[in-house]
Amino acid sequence: MEKYYGLFDLQLDDFKPGIVGTIYNDVEAIGAERAYTLSQADEEPASENMTDKEMLEAYGYEVREITEKEYNQILNDQRSDLLTTATL
């Protein structure tokens, strides 16, 4: 039986649209790359020396096992993945 995984955003309490896979390490690597890329706009960006797991933990993501139905829903999720900014 095949296993399915998705990248879960702990802050938003939801899965990231389109970030799914059947190999845990692949989803973890994609999530870590996403977190690293987004962190480059931070005042203190993430270190390239962090492991994928450390990167996900630091930026509030985790890889979760999901059902095939959830996999297909997340894979085909058409929500925009835009960043929201606020001016103080």
Side-chain angles (χ1 to χ4, degrees), residues 18-59:
I19 304 180
V20 293
T22 56
I23 301 171
Y24 181 96
N25 290 342
D26 288 351
V27 176
E28 186 176 62
I30 292 167
E33 182 177 327
R34 171 186 167 65
Y36 176 80
T37 300
L38 292 174
S39 82
Q40 297 311 294
D42 293 349
E43 191 172 304
E44 292 185 33
S47 167
E48 291 180 357
N49 297 324
M50 295 173 79
T51 66
D52 290 347
K53 185 176 180 74
E54 290 170 333
M55 186 75 66
L56 293 180
E57 288 176 359
Y59 287 91

Side-chain angles (χ1 to χ4, degrees), residues 5-18:
Y5 303 95
L7 184 66
F8 191 79
D9 186 321
L10 296 168
Q11 293 176 338
L12 298 178
D13 194 33
D14 200 4
F15 287 95
K16 299 308 290 179

